[in-house]
Amino acid sequence: MGILNVTPDSFSDGGRFVEVDQALAQTEQMLAAGADIIDIGGESTRPGADAVSVDQEIDRVVPVIELLKSRFDTIVSIDTSKAAVMRASAAAGVGLINDVRALREPGAMDAAVSLGLPVCLMHMLGEPRTMQTAPQYTDVVSEVADFLKERLEKCRSSGLDAGQLLIDPGFGFGKTLSHNVELLRNLSKLTDIAPVLIGLSRKSMIGQMLENDQQDRTVGSVTAALLCVQQGASVVRVHDVAETAAALKILNAVKNG
Ligand code: 9MG
């Protein structure tokens, strides 16, 4: 899964034409490098990020989804927690809902049920603006697993098809470095529950593990993605698609003899 942010700070110039050109160029590059899904987000989920309104988010993502669906034969996913954005994105052609709040926002579960699209349910402790302020767990792996099991059950009882659901531990979302490392080391406990999507790409945990926040994070991100796939992760959300695809080719070649 390749990442395409359409927040204003994601483009080198705020102008609409530059945004469209860059979105097309980035998508073309990611697809050529082997991405199967392009994840589009109109609201930053970085620590400290401010919320945006429903209308703003729809205005940012829907034209890009329509454009990508008209130009490329690919699955587009929408990174949102808002019911109205899910509905507008589905009408524009998305094939997956990527919700960092696991369908807990008002109306989100109903929207997902009525749209019938696959959903990725992510674990997050707190909210993006404050989530990195001293997050605490007694046992991060079992607490994240229990949360995801509870959300899977809620989805199933609300009418979502179990075969359409992915789970995600939410690396960096309300977690310290040691929580993230613990989750990475024990990812196979989650892949036993349901298909897992992971996102570690270029996150600060990678910079922290490299013990140098200024260093390029590509190699660290690719290595972490590989460790996740080795433990059974099904989908990796990455910026460096070509590098990750090359590493996964080696892994598959070794696995398949
Ligand atoms: C939107 N977004 C940012 N990081 C993410 C992650 O780790 N997982 C998912 N599912 N979405 C993410």
PDB file of all heavy atoms in Angstrom, residues 1 5 39 45 79 98-100 120 122 168 170-171 173 197-200 203 237, ligand 1:
ATOM      1  N   MET A   1       0.854  -1.188   0.000  1.00  0.00           N
ATOM      2  CA  MET A   1       0.000   0.000   0.000  1.00  0.00           C
ATOM      3  C   MET A   1       0.895   1.245   0.000  1.00  0.00           C
ATOM      4  O   MET A   1       1.738   1.394   0.892  1.00  0.00           O
ATOM      5  CB  MET A   1      -0.888  -0.002   1.252  1.00  0.00           C
ATOM      6  CG  MET A   1      -1.656   1.278   1.463  1.00  0.00           C
ATOM      7  SD  MET A   1      -2.510   1.300   3.079  1.00  0.00           S
ATOM      8  CE  MET A   1      -4.071   0.566   2.659  1.00  0.00           C
ATOM      9  N   ASN A   5      -0.712  11.576   0.769  1.00  0.00           N
ATOM     10  CA  ASN A   5      -1.378  12.557   1.634  1.00  0.00           C
ATOM     11  C   ASN A   5      -1.786  13.754   0.795  1.00  0.00           C
ATOM     12  O   ASN A   5      -0.994  14.247  -0.004  1.00  0.00           O
ATOM     13  CB  ASN A   5      -0.435  13.011   2.742  1.00  0.00           C
ATOM     14  CG  ASN A   5      -0.214  11.902   3.754  1.00  0.00           C
ATOM     15  OD1 ASN A   5      -1.164  11.241   4.168  1.00  0.00           O
ATOM     16  ND2 ASN A   5       1.029  11.676   4.113  1.00  0.00           N
ATOM     17  N   ASP A  39      -3.286   4.713  -0.620  1.00  0.00           N
ATOM     18  CA  ASP A  39      -4.043   5.208   0.539  1.00  0.00           C
ATOM     19  C   ASP A  39      -4.040   6.734   0.536  1.00  0.00           C
ATOM     20  O   ASP A  39      -2.982   7.357   0.604  1.00  0.00           O
ATOM     21  CB  ASP A  39      -3.373   4.690   1.824  1.00  0.00           C
ATOM     22  CG  ASP A  39      -4.231   4.915   3.055  1.00  0.00           C
ATOM     23  OD1 ASP A  39      -5.455   4.747   2.957  1.00  0.00           O
ATOM     24  OD2 ASP A  39      -3.676   5.259   4.126  1.00  0.00           O
ATOM     25  N   THR A  45      -2.704  12.631  10.606  1.00  0.00           N
ATOM     26  CA  THR A  45      -2.864  11.925  11.887  1.00  0.00           C
ATOM     27  C   THR A  45      -1.556  11.942  12.674  1.00  0.00           C
ATOM     28  O   THR A  45      -1.382  11.177  13.619  1.00  0.00           O
ATOM     29  CB  THR A  45      -3.300  10.459  11.646  1.00  0.00           C
ATOM     30  OG1 THR A  45      -2.448   9.874  10.666  1.00  0.00           O
ATOM     31  CG2 THR A  45      -4.734  10.369  11.200  1.00  0.00           C
ATOM     32  N   ASP A  79      -8.182   7.079   3.974  1.00  0.00           N
ATOM     33  CA  ASP A  79      -7.741   7.169   5.366  1.00  0.00           C
ATOM     34  C   ASP A  79      -8.615   8.240   6.032  1.00  0.00           C
ATOM     35  O   ASP A  79      -8.368   9.433   5.893  1.00  0.00           O
ATOM     36  CB  ASP A  79      -6.238   7.525   5.327  1.00  0.00           C
ATOM     37  CG  ASP A  79      -5.747   8.294   6.542  1.00  0.00           C
ATOM     38  OD1 ASP A  79      -6.376   8.202   7.599  1.00  0.00           O
ATOM     39  OD2 ASP A  79      -4.704   8.973   6.399  1.00  0.00           O
ATOM     40  N   ASN A  98      -9.705   2.931   5.558  1.00  0.00           N
ATOM     41  CA  ASN A  98      -8.600   2.795   6.510  1.00  0.00           C
ATOM     42  C   ASN A  98      -8.888   3.748   7.663  1.00  0.00           C
ATOM     43  O   ASN A  98      -8.695   4.955   7.541  1.00  0.00           O
ATOM     44  CB  ASN A  98      -7.278   3.167   5.823  1.00  0.00           C
ATOM     45  CG  ASN A  98      -6.117   3.178   6.799  1.00  0.00           C
ATOM     46  OD1 ASN A  98      -6.146   2.489   7.821  1.00  0.00           O
ATOM     47  ND2 ASN A  98      -5.095   3.967   6.492  1.00  0.00           N
ATOM     48  N   ASP A  99      -9.376   3.188   8.782  1.00  0.00           N
ATOM     49  CA  ASP A  99      -9.827   4.063   9.870  1.00  0.00           C
ATOM     50  C   ASP A  99      -8.939   3.912  11.108  1.00  0.00           C
ATOM     51  O   ASP A  99      -8.993   2.891  11.805  1.00  0.00           O
ATOM     52  CB  ASP A  99     -11.288   3.746  10.222  1.00  0.00           C
ATOM     53  CG  ASP A  99     -11.834   4.731  11.258  1.00  0.00           C
ATOM     54  OD1 ASP A  99     -11.081   5.635  11.685  1.00  0.00           O
ATOM     55  OD2 ASP A  99     -13.008   4.592  11.646  1.00  0.00           O
ATOM     56  N   VAL A 100      -8.159   4.945  11.387  1.00  0.00           N
ATOM     57  CA  VAL A 100      -7.264   4.904  12.557  1.00  0.00           C
ATOM     58  C   VAL A 100      -8.057   4.926  13.872  1.00  0.00           C
ATOM     59  O   VAL A 100      -7.486   4.681  14.938  1.00  0.00           O
ATOM     60  CB  VAL A 100      -6.226   6.060  12.535  1.00  0.00           C
ATOM     61  CG1 VAL A 100      -5.346   5.992  11.301  1.00  0.00           C
ATOM     62  CG2 VAL A 100      -6.887   7.424  12.671  1.00  0.00           C
ATOM     63  N   CYS A 120     -10.008  -1.398   7.420  1.00  0.00           N
ATOM     64  CA  CYS A 120      -8.871  -1.629   8.316  1.00  0.00           C
ATOM     65  C   CYS A 120      -9.168  -0.929   9.637  1.00  0.00           C
ATOM     66  O   CYS A 120      -9.404   0.287   9.678  1.00  0.00           O
ATOM     67  CB  CYS A 120      -7.576  -1.082   7.712  1.00  0.00           C
ATOM     68  SG  CYS A 120      -6.200  -1.242   8.875  1.00  0.00           S
ATOM     69  N   MET A 122      -7.768   0.186  13.147  1.00  0.00           N
ATOM     70  CA  MET A 122      -6.473   0.432  13.791  1.00  0.00           C
ATOM     71  C   MET A 122      -6.625   0.740  15.275  1.00  0.00           C
ATOM     72  O   MET A 122      -7.613   1.346  15.685  1.00  0.00           O
ATOM     73  CB  MET A 122      -5.750   1.593  13.090  1.00  0.00           C
ATOM     74  CG  MET A 122      -4.254   1.606  13.383  1.00  0.00           C
ATOM     75  SD  MET A 122      -3.486   3.162  12.908  1.00  0.00           S
ATOM     76  CE  MET A 122      -3.931   4.170  14.333  1.00  0.00           C
ATOM     77  N   ASP A 168      -4.865  -3.551  12.721  1.00  0.00           N
ATOM     78  CA  ASP A 168      -3.589  -2.822  12.658  1.00  0.00           C
ATOM     79  C   ASP A 168      -3.229  -2.360  14.075  1.00  0.00           C
ATOM     80  O   ASP A 168      -4.053  -1.705  14.737  1.00  0.00           O
ATOM     81  CB  ASP A 168      -3.807  -1.609  11.725  1.00  0.00           C
ATOM     82  CG  ASP A 168      -2.563  -0.766  11.519  1.00  0.00           C
ATOM     83  OD1 ASP A 168      -1.654  -0.802  12.372  1.00  0.00           O
ATOM     84  OD2 ASP A 168      -2.521  -0.032  10.523  1.00  0.00           O
ATOM     85  N   GLY A 170      -1.362  -0.063  15.013  1.00  0.00           N
ATOM     86  CA  GLY A 170      -1.222   1.393  15.125  1.00  0.00           C
ATOM     87  C   GLY A 170       0.119   1.822  15.699  1.00  0.00           C
ATOM     88  O   GLY A 170       0.172   2.547  16.709  1.00  0.00           O
ATOM     89  N   PHE A 171       1.200   1.396  15.049  1.00  0.00           N
ATOM     90  CA  PHE A 171       2.536   1.801  15.514  1.00  0.00           C
ATOM     91  C   PHE A 171       2.609   3.325  15.603  1.00  0.00           C
ATOM     92  O   PHE A 171       2.234   4.039  14.653  1.00  0.00           O
ATOM     93  CB  PHE A 171       3.618   1.291  14.552  1.00  0.00           C
ATOM     94  CG  PHE A 171       3.842  -0.196  14.642  1.00  0.00           C
ATOM     95  CD1 PHE A 171       3.451  -1.041  13.607  1.00  0.00           C
ATOM     96  CD2 PHE A 171       4.446  -0.751  15.763  1.00  0.00           C
ATOM     97  CE1 PHE A 171       3.663  -2.411  13.686  1.00  0.00           C
ATOM     98  CE2 PHE A 171       4.660  -2.127  15.858  1.00  0.00           C
ATOM     99  CZ  PHE A 171       4.258  -2.959  14.813  1.00  0.00           C
ATOM    100  N   PHE A 173       0.866   5.320  17.455  1.00  0.00           N
ATOM    101  CA  PHE A 173      -0.381   6.004  17.824  1.00  0.00           C
ATOM    102  C   PHE A 173      -0.660   5.779  19.311  1.00  0.00           C
ATOM    103  O   PHE A 173      -1.330   4.822  19.699  1.00  0.00           O
ATOM    104  CB  PHE A 173      -1.549   5.491  16.980  1.00  0.00           C
ATOM    105  CG  PHE A 173      -1.571   6.031  15.578  1.00  0.00           C
ATOM    106  CD1 PHE A 173      -0.796   5.456  14.583  1.00  0.00           C
ATOM    107  CD2 PHE A 173      -2.367   7.122  15.238  1.00  0.00           C
ATOM    108  CE1 PHE A 173      -0.805   5.948  13.288  1.00  0.00           C
ATOM    109  CE2 PHE A 173      -2.389   7.624  13.945  1.00  0.00           C
ATOM    110  CZ  PHE A 173      -1.602   7.038  12.969  1.00  0.00           C
ATOM    111  N   LEU A 197      -2.613  -5.244   8.760  1.00  0.00           N
ATOM    112  CA  LEU A 197      -1.989  -4.169   7.987  1.00  0.00           C
ATOM    113  C   LEU A 197      -1.070  -3.425   8.957  1.00  0.00           C
ATOM    114  O   LEU A 197      -1.461  -3.192  10.101  1.00  0.00           O
ATOM    115  CB  LEU A 197      -3.075  -3.241   7.441  1.00  0.00           C
ATOM    116  CG  LEU A 197      -2.697  -2.045   6.557  1.00  0.00           C
ATOM    117  CD1 LEU A 197      -3.886  -1.658   5.666  1.00  0.00           C
ATOM    118  CD2 LEU A 197      -2.221  -0.827   7.324  1.00  0.00           C
ATOM    119  N   ILE A 198       0.123  -3.070   8.507  1.00  0.00           N
ATOM    120  CA  ILE A 198       1.001  -2.306   9.412  1.00  0.00           C
ATOM    121  C   ILE A 198       1.517  -1.044   8.708  1.00  0.00           C
ATOM    122  O   ILE A 198       1.679  -1.009   7.482  1.00  0.00           O
ATOM    123  CB  ILE A 198       2.217  -3.115   9.932  1.00  0.00           C
ATOM    124  CG1 ILE A 198       3.121  -3.596   8.790  1.00  0.00           C
ATOM    125  CG2 ILE A 198       1.784  -4.251  10.811  1.00  0.00           C
ATOM    126  CD1 ILE A 198       4.243  -2.697   8.477  1.00  0.00           C
ATOM    127  N   GLY A 199       1.752  -0.020   9.514  1.00  0.00           N
ATOM    128  CA  GLY A 199       2.356   1.209   9.013  1.00  0.00           C
ATOM    129  C   GLY A 199       3.464   1.638   9.959  1.00  0.00           C
ATOM    130  O   GLY A 199       3.202   1.986  11.110  1.00  0.00           O
ATOM    131  N   LEU A 200       4.699   1.536   9.480  1.00  0.00           N
ATOM    132  CA  LEU A 200       5.850   1.956  10.289  1.00  0.00           C
ATOM    133  C   LEU A 200       6.695   2.951   9.521  1.00  0.00           C
ATOM    134  O   LEU A 200       7.636   3.533  10.059  1.00  0.00           O
ATOM    135  CB  LEU A 200       6.759   0.753  10.563  1.00  0.00           C
ATOM    136  CG  LEU A 200       6.267  -0.412  11.390  1.00  0.00           C
ATOM    137  CD1 LEU A 200       6.732  -1.700  10.763  1.00  0.00           C
ATOM    138  CD2 LEU A 200       6.808  -0.286  12.778  1.00  0.00           C
ATOM    139  N   LYS A 203       8.393   6.489  10.385  1.00  0.00           N
ATOM    140  CA  LYS A 203       7.878   7.028  11.648  1.00  0.00           C
ATOM    141  C   LYS A 203       9.012   7.320  12.617  1.00  0.00           C
ATOM    142  O   LYS A 203      10.115   6.780  12.485  1.00  0.00           O
ATOM    143  CB  LYS A 203       6.873   6.043  12.266  1.00  0.00           C
ATOM    144  CG  LYS A 203       5.549   6.045  11.496  1.00  0.00           C
ATOM    145  CD  LYS A 203       4.454   5.289  12.195  1.00  0.00           C
ATOM    146  CE  LYS A 203       3.153   5.432  11.382  1.00  0.00           C
ATOM    147  NZ  LYS A 203       2.084   4.574  11.867  1.00  0.00           N
ATOM    148  N   ARG A 237       1.939  -0.490   4.752  1.00  0.00           N
ATOM    149  CA  ARG A 237       1.646   0.875   4.288  1.00  0.00           C
ATOM    150  C   ARG A 237       2.981   1.626   4.285  1.00  0.00           C
ATOM    151  O   ARG A 237       3.539   1.877   5.353  1.00  0.00           O
ATOM    152  CB  ARG A 237       0.636   1.503   5.257  1.00  0.00           C
ATOM    153  CG  ARG A 237       0.169   2.883   4.885  1.00  0.00           C
ATOM    154  CD  ARG A 237      -0.858   3.377   5.917  1.00  0.00           C
ATOM    155  NE  ARG A 237      -1.366   4.690   5.543  1.00  0.00           N
ATOM    156  CZ  ARG A 237      -0.773   5.830   5.820  1.00  0.00           C
ATOM    157  NH1 ARG A 237       0.369   5.840   6.489  1.00  0.00           N
ATOM    158  NH2 ARG A 237      -1.299   6.975   5.428  1.00  0.00           N
TER     159      ARG A 237
HETATM  160  C1  9MG B   1      -3.074   6.961   8.223  1.00  0.00           C
HETATM  161  N1  9MG B   1      -2.050   6.204   8.906  1.00  0.00           N
HETATM  162  C2  9MG B   1      -0.878   6.693   9.390  1.00  0.00           C
HETATM  163  N2  9MG B   1      -0.188   5.699   9.977  1.00  0.00           N
HETATM  164  C3  9MG B   1      -0.953   4.581   9.862  1.00  0.00           C
HETATM  165  C4  9MG B   1      -0.788   3.260  10.274  1.00  0.00           C
HETATM  166  O1  9MG B   1       0.260   2.857  10.966  1.00  0.00           O
HETATM  167  N3  9MG B   1      -1.761   2.376   9.986  1.00  0.00           N
HETATM  168  C5  9MG B   1      -2.869   2.772   9.304  1.00  0.00           C
HETATM  169  N4  9MG B   1      -3.816   1.837   9.051  1.00  0.00           N
HETATM  170  N5  9MG B   1      -3.074   4.021   8.890  1.00  0.00           N
HETATM  171  C6  9MG B   1      -2.128   4.903   9.168  1.00  0.00           C
END
